[in-house]
Amino acid sequence: MKIAFFDTHQFEKDLFQEMANNHSHDIVFFETRLNHKTAHLASGFDCVCAFVNDQLDAATIKILKDLKIKLIALRSAGYNHVDLKIAQSLQIPVVRVPEYSPFAVAEHAMALILTLNRKTHKAYNRVRDNNFSLNGLVGFDLHGKTVGLIGTGKIGSKLFSILKGFGCQILGYDLKVQEELQKQGLKFVSMETLLQNSDIISLHVPLTKETFHLINDKTLSQTKSGLMLINTSRGALVETKSLINSLKSGHLGSAGLDVYEEEAGLFFENKTDQILQDDQLARLLTFPNVLITSHQAFLTHEALHNIASTTMDSINQFQQGKTLTYEIV
Ligand code: NAD
């Protein structure tokens, strides 16, 4: 198969090249993100391989269809950036990597919690500057604190296990109550109860019409003062304006964000030499109690290997006319 690989990053290129060689696929890496303006690059290919910030909207998919693209392979679990209806109506199957390492994302969420709480990022810089003062570095015991998990699927349930080890009380809100997790001590509650009782809230639902701006003025007003909010899921789960207002008022105690609703074009890129044009992100970066990482929660060797091998498996299945195990239907 001829594969057009969009939004290529150095951390994944060698692995994909090696696997493509092993399966005799011809792969070309484009650094540019896929959208209706760049889709023409896929001319002469059979498959496009896309990442989280590629825009597979109706216009892009129609161009891909005209170019005779037969398969869209996402190197991500989330597929909120794909117009599935159009892809289905044009009979282009879309495959994804539903599970590559829930541990990677859950462990990064935990890293954000620990860093924000114990301020190790500040301590690291201070000590390197011979500043051995502890002022301003006071944290809290996680033991006995209540953590609310919004979404208790693959990632949320892994974070539940980690937090249990810290002696936290864990509340969960999900469309589905999972009895197995309940037996292990996760208490499923209403959204309202979770908002009102949590010291820390971590988001693990996909971005859908229902979850868009789930965290907004209204939901934030229902939370405890001093709440720590963690988002490693998708940026648009949180209304940034509301987040900023709550941080400014001092109601929200801290925020750890691996994703941001306007991250496309910024996250994953080195913009050191440029002036940041996004005023909301610039404002967020001024808060001493906000920690932002640029969509790196998935970034472990294990996850990258699984992403590459699952994607290659799907491409092989398609080439061999087999049922696509990871097709989004
Ligand atoms: P999952 O499908 O296993 O779990 C999602 C859970 O959310 C499910 O239990 C589902 O029932 C629940 N849910 C869906 N809609 C809901 C709603 N409206 N209200 C309440 N619950 C709802 O998915 P996962 O593997 O745990 O991944 C979760 C999300 O994490 C993904 O959708 C993706 O956006 C994000 N993610 C981020 C990174 C990263 O690097 N930052 C990496 C992988 C995944």
Side-chain angles (χ1 to χ4, degrees), residues 77-78 98 100 105 151-156 173-176 178 204-208 210-211 232-234 258-259 295-298:
Y100 40 85
V105 183
T152 57
K154 291 183 280 296
I155 296 169
Y173 171 75
D174 198 292
L175 294 178
K176 294 173 244 162
Q178 288 133 30
H204 301 287
V205 283
L207 177 61
T208 62
E210 291 73 36
T211 61
T232 56
S233 198
R234 283 292 179 267
D258 185 52
V259 285
H295 208 139
Q296 73 172 78
F298 73 99

Short mmCIF file of all heavy atoms in Angstrom, two decimals, residues 77-78 98 100 105 151-156 173-176 178 204-208 210-211 232-234 258-259 295-298, ligand 1:
data_model
loop_
_atom_site.label_atom_id
_atom_site.label_comp_id
_atom_site.label_asym_id
_atom_site.label_seq_id
_atom_site.Cartn_x
_atom_site.Cartn_y
_atom_site.Cartn_z
N ALA A 77 -6.61 7.38 19.53
CA ALA A 77 -7.81 6.72 20.03
C ALA A 77 -9.02 7.61 19.72
O ALA A 77 -10.04 7.17 19.20
CB ALA A 77 -7.69 6.47 21.53
N GLY A 78 -8.86 8.92 20.03
CA GLY A 78 -9.95 9.88 19.81
C GLY A 78 -10.17 10.11 18.32
O GLY A 78 -9.23 10.06 17.53
N PRO A 98 -7.68 2.06 19.29
CA PRO A 98 -8.53 2.33 20.45
C PRO A 98 -7.80 2.25 21.78
O PRO A 98 -8.15 2.93 22.73
CB PRO A 98 -9.62 1.25 20.36
CG PRO A 98 -9.08 0.22 19.45
CD PRO A 98 -8.09 0.87 18.55
N TYR A 100 -3.75 1.99 23.16
CA TYR A 100 -2.32 1.76 22.93
C TYR A 100 -1.56 1.72 24.23
O TYR A 100 -0.60 1.02 24.39
CB TYR A 100 -1.71 2.74 21.95
CG TYR A 100 -2.15 4.16 22.07
CD1 TYR A 100 -1.53 5.01 22.96
CD2 TYR A 100 -3.19 4.65 21.29
CE1 TYR A 100 -1.94 6.33 23.07
CE2 TYR A 100 -3.60 5.96 21.41
CZ TYR A 100 -2.98 6.80 22.30
OH TYR A 100 -3.38 8.09 22.42
N VAL A 105 -1.35 7.42 29.68
CA VAL A 105 -2.15 8.64 29.91
C VAL A 105 -2.51 8.77 31.39
O VAL A 105 -2.40 9.85 31.99
CB VAL A 105 -3.42 8.64 29.02
CG1 VAL A 105 -4.20 9.93 29.21
CG2 VAL A 105 -3.05 8.46 27.56
N GLY A 151 -15.53 9.93 33.52
CA GLY A 151 -15.12 8.94 32.53
C GLY A 151 -14.28 7.88 33.22
O GLY A 151 -13.20 8.17 33.73
N THR A 152 -14.83 6.67 33.26
CA THR A 152 -14.12 5.58 33.95
C THR A 152 -13.89 4.41 32.99
O THR A 152 -14.07 3.25 33.34
CB THR A 152 -14.91 5.10 35.19
OG1 THR A 152 -16.22 4.69 34.74
CG2 THR A 152 -15.05 6.19 36.23
N GLY A 153 -13.53 4.75 31.76
CA GLY A 153 -13.22 3.73 30.75
C GLY A 153 -11.79 3.23 30.94
O GLY A 153 -11.31 3.11 32.08
N LYS A 154 -11.10 3.01 29.82
CA LYS A 154 -9.77 2.39 29.90
C LYS A 154 -8.80 3.25 30.71
O LYS A 154 -8.11 2.76 31.59
CB LYS A 154 -9.23 2.15 28.48
CG LYS A 154 -10.00 1.04 27.73
CD LYS A 154 -9.42 0.76 26.38
CE LYS A 154 -9.83 1.74 25.32
NZ LYS A 154 -11.25 1.79 24.99
N ILE A 155 -8.76 4.55 30.42
CA ILE A 155 -7.79 5.42 31.11
C ILE A 155 -8.26 5.76 32.53
O ILE A 155 -7.50 5.64 33.50
CB ILE A 155 -7.52 6.70 30.27
CG1 ILE A 155 -6.87 6.32 28.94
CG2 ILE A 155 -6.65 7.69 31.05
CD1 ILE A 155 -6.78 7.43 27.92
N GLY A 156 -9.53 6.15 32.64
CA GLY A 156 -10.07 6.49 33.96
C GLY A 156 -9.90 5.35 34.95
O GLY A 156 -9.54 5.56 36.12
N TYR A 173 -18.00 9.25 37.55
CA TYR A 173 -19.22 9.55 36.80
C TYR A 173 -19.01 9.04 35.38
O TYR A 173 -18.00 9.37 34.73
CB TYR A 173 -19.50 11.07 36.78
CG TYR A 173 -20.62 11.42 35.84
CD1 TYR A 173 -21.94 11.14 36.18
CD2 TYR A 173 -20.36 11.99 34.60
CE1 TYR A 173 -22.98 11.42 35.30
CE2 TYR A 173 -21.38 12.27 33.71
CZ TYR A 173 -22.68 11.98 34.06
OH TYR A 173 -23.70 12.26 33.19
N ASP A 174 -19.92 8.22 34.92
CA ASP A 174 -19.81 7.66 33.57
C ASP A 174 -21.21 7.27 33.11
O ASP A 174 -22.11 7.07 33.95
CB ASP A 174 -18.91 6.40 33.60
CG ASP A 174 -18.39 6.02 32.21
OD1 ASP A 174 -19.21 5.59 31.36
OD2 ASP A 174 -17.18 6.15 31.97
N LEU A 175 -21.40 7.17 31.81
CA LEU A 175 -22.69 6.73 31.29
C LEU A 175 -22.97 5.30 31.73
O LEU A 175 -24.11 4.91 31.93
CB LEU A 175 -22.70 6.78 29.75
CG LEU A 175 -22.60 8.17 29.11
CD1 LEU A 175 -22.57 8.04 27.59
CD2 LEU A 175 -23.76 9.05 29.55
N LYS A 176 -21.86 4.53 31.86
CA LYS A 176 -22.01 3.12 32.27
C LYS A 176 -21.42 2.92 33.66
O LYS A 176 -20.27 3.34 33.90
CB LYS A 176 -21.25 2.20 31.30
CG LYS A 176 -21.79 2.18 29.90
CD LYS A 176 -20.88 1.37 29.00
CE LYS A 176 -20.28 2.27 27.93
NZ LYS A 176 -19.12 1.79 27.25
N GLN A 178 -19.62 0.56 36.01
CA GLN A 178 -18.89 -0.70 35.85
C GLN A 178 -18.80 -1.41 37.19
O GLN A 178 -18.12 -0.94 38.11
CB GLN A 178 -17.51 -0.43 35.26
CG GLN A 178 -17.56 -0.03 33.80
CD GLN A 178 -16.73 1.17 33.49
OE1 GLN A 178 -15.74 1.40 34.13
NE2 GLN A 178 -17.14 1.97 32.52
N HIS A 204 -11.78 12.12 31.74
CA HIS A 204 -11.41 10.97 30.90
C HIS A 204 -12.54 10.52 29.99
O HIS A 204 -12.65 9.34 29.67
CB HIS A 204 -10.90 9.82 31.78
CG HIS A 204 -9.73 10.24 32.60
ND1 HIS A 204 -8.48 10.44 32.04
CD2 HIS A 204 -9.64 10.60 33.89
CE1 HIS A 204 -7.67 10.88 32.98
NE2 HIS A 204 -8.34 10.99 34.11
N VAL A 205 -13.41 11.47 29.60
CA VAL A 205 -14.46 11.17 28.62
C VAL A 205 -13.98 11.62 27.24
O VAL A 205 -13.15 12.51 27.14
CB VAL A 205 -15.80 11.88 28.96
CG1 VAL A 205 -16.52 11.20 30.10
CG2 VAL A 205 -15.58 13.36 29.25
N PRO A 206 -14.52 11.01 26.18
CA PRO A 206 -14.15 11.49 24.84
C PRO A 206 -14.83 12.84 24.58
O PRO A 206 -15.80 13.19 25.28
CB PRO A 206 -14.71 10.40 23.91
CG PRO A 206 -15.80 9.74 24.70
CD PRO A 206 -15.44 9.86 26.14
N LEU A 207 -14.35 13.56 23.58
CA LEU A 207 -15.02 14.81 23.19
C LEU A 207 -16.15 14.47 22.23
O LEU A 207 -15.93 13.92 21.15
CB LEU A 207 -14.01 15.74 22.50
CG LEU A 207 -14.58 17.06 21.97
CD1 LEU A 207 -15.17 17.89 23.10
CD2 LEU A 207 -13.52 17.85 21.22
N THR A 208 -17.36 14.77 22.66
CA THR A 208 -18.55 14.54 21.82
C THR A 208 -19.43 15.78 21.94
O THR A 208 -19.10 16.70 22.70
CB THR A 208 -19.37 13.32 22.34
OG1 THR A 208 -19.81 13.62 23.68
CG2 THR A 208 -18.55 12.04 22.35
N GLU A 210 -22.09 15.92 23.51
CA GLU A 210 -22.59 15.96 24.89
C GLU A 210 -21.52 16.45 25.87
O GLU A 210 -21.84 17.04 26.90
CB GLU A 210 -23.04 14.56 25.35
CG GLU A 210 -24.29 14.04 24.68
CD GLU A 210 -24.04 13.62 23.24
OE1 GLU A 210 -22.95 13.09 22.94
OE2 GLU A 210 -24.93 13.86 22.40
N THR A 211 -20.26 16.16 25.57
CA THR A 211 -19.20 16.51 26.54
C THR A 211 -18.49 17.83 26.21
O THR A 211 -17.64 18.27 26.98
CB THR A 211 -18.15 15.38 26.65
OG1 THR A 211 -17.54 15.21 25.35
CG2 THR A 211 -18.75 14.07 27.11
N THR A 232 -6.46 15.49 30.67
CA THR A 232 -5.56 14.82 29.72
C THR A 232 -6.38 14.22 28.58
O THR A 232 -5.88 13.36 27.85
CB THR A 232 -4.78 13.66 30.41
OG1 THR A 232 -5.73 12.76 30.98
CG2 THR A 232 -3.83 14.17 31.47
N SER A 233 -7.64 14.67 28.44
CA SER A 233 -8.50 14.00 27.46
C SER A 233 -8.57 14.78 26.14
O SER A 233 -7.87 14.46 25.20
CB SER A 233 -9.88 13.77 28.06
OG SER A 233 -10.55 12.81 27.31
N ARG A 234 -9.41 15.81 26.09
CA ARG A 234 -9.47 16.68 24.92
C ARG A 234 -9.73 18.10 25.40
O ARG A 234 -10.54 18.32 26.32
CB ARG A 234 -10.58 16.26 23.95
CG ARG A 234 -10.26 15.07 23.09
CD ARG A 234 -9.15 15.35 22.06
NE ARG A 234 -8.84 14.18 21.26
CZ ARG A 234 -7.88 13.29 21.53
NH1 ARG A 234 -7.13 13.44 22.60
NH2 ARG A 234 -7.66 12.26 20.73
N ASP A 258 -3.04 18.80 29.75
CA ASP A 258 -2.20 18.23 28.70
C ASP A 258 -2.80 18.56 27.33
O ASP A 258 -2.18 18.29 26.31
CB ASP A 258 -2.10 16.71 28.88
CG ASP A 258 -1.13 16.07 27.89
OD1 ASP A 258 0.02 16.56 27.82
OD2 ASP A 258 -1.52 15.13 27.18
N VAL A 259 -4.01 19.09 27.35
CA VAL A 259 -4.72 19.40 26.11
C VAL A 259 -5.37 20.77 26.26
O VAL A 259 -5.64 21.21 27.38
CB VAL A 259 -5.80 18.31 25.82
CG1 VAL A 259 -5.17 17.03 25.32
CG2 VAL A 259 -6.65 18.03 27.05
N HIS A 295 0.19 17.97 25.03
CA HIS A 295 -0.41 16.73 24.54
C HIS A 295 0.63 15.59 24.50
O HIS A 295 0.81 14.94 23.48
CB HIS A 295 -1.03 16.95 23.15
CG HIS A 295 -2.18 16.03 22.87
ND1 HIS A 295 -3.33 16.44 22.24
CD2 HIS A 295 -2.37 14.71 23.15
CE1 HIS A 295 -4.16 15.41 22.13
NE2 HIS A 295 -3.60 14.35 22.68
N GLN A 296 1.27 15.38 25.63
CA GLN A 296 2.31 14.36 25.69
C GLN A 296 1.94 13.16 26.54
O GLN A 296 2.77 12.28 26.78
CB GLN A 296 3.63 14.97 26.20
CG GLN A 296 3.63 15.28 27.70
CD GLN A 296 5.01 15.69 28.22
OE1 GLN A 296 5.42 16.81 28.02
NE2 GLN A 296 5.70 14.77 28.89
N ALA A 297 0.67 13.13 27.01
CA ALA A 297 0.30 12.06 27.95
C ALA A 297 0.52 10.67 27.37
O ALA A 297 0.84 9.73 28.07
CB ALA A 297 -1.14 12.23 28.39
N PHE A 298 0.37 10.56 26.04
CA PHE A 298 0.50 9.23 25.41
C PHE A 298 1.96 8.83 25.19
O PHE A 298 2.23 7.70 24.81
CB PHE A 298 -0.21 9.26 24.03
CG PHE A 298 0.57 10.07 23.01
CD1 PHE A 298 1.38 9.44 22.08
CD2 PHE A 298 0.53 11.44 23.03
CE1 PHE A 298 2.12 10.18 21.17
CE2 PHE A 298 1.27 12.19 22.12
CZ PHE A 298 2.06 11.56 21.20
P1 NAD B 1 -12.82 4.85 26.78
O1 NAD B 1 -13.75 4.81 25.62
O2 NAD B 1 -12.23 3.57 27.27
O3 NAD B 1 -13.53 5.57 28.03
C1 NAD B 1 -14.32 6.70 27.90
C2 NAD B 1 -15.43 6.61 28.94
O4 NAD B 1 -16.21 7.81 28.85
C3 NAD B 1 -16.39 5.42 28.72
O5 NAD B 1 -16.49 4.66 29.90
C4 NAD B 1 -17.71 6.08 28.34
O6 NAD B 1 -18.85 5.38 28.84
C5 NAD B 1 -17.58 7.44 29.02
N1 NAD B 1 -18.42 8.48 28.40
C6 NAD B 1 -18.58 8.77 27.09
N2 NAD B 1 -19.41 9.82 26.95
C7 NAD B 1 -19.81 10.18 28.19
C8 NAD B 1 -20.68 11.18 28.69
N3 NAD B 1 -21.33 12.01 27.86
N4 NAD B 1 -20.85 11.26 30.02
C9 NAD B 1 -20.21 10.41 30.87
N5 NAD B 1 -19.37 9.43 30.46
C10 NAD B 1 -19.18 9.33 29.13
O7 NAD B 1 -11.68 5.89 26.36
P2 NAD B 1 -10.21 6.03 27.00
O8 NAD B 1 -9.27 5.12 26.28
O9 NAD B 1 -10.31 5.94 28.46
O10 NAD B 1 -9.84 7.51 26.53
C11 NAD B 1 -10.53 8.65 27.00
C12 NAD B 1 -10.12 9.84 26.20
O11 NAD B 1 -8.75 10.16 26.47
C13 NAD B 1 -10.12 9.65 24.67
O12 NAD B 1 -11.42 9.84 24.13
C14 NAD B 1 -9.14 10.68 24.17
O13 NAD B 1 -9.84 11.87 23.86
C15 NAD B 1 -8.25 10.93 25.39
N6 NAD B 1 -6.85 10.55 25.15
C16 NAD B 1 -5.88 11.48 25.35
C17 NAD B 1 -4.54 11.15 25.13
C18 NAD B 1 -3.41 12.14 25.38
O14 NAD B 1 -2.28 11.90 24.94
N7 NAD B 1 -3.63 13.24 26.07
C19 NAD B 1 -4.21 9.87 24.70
C20 NAD B 1 -5.23 8.93 24.52
C21 NAD B 1 -6.55 9.27 24.74
#
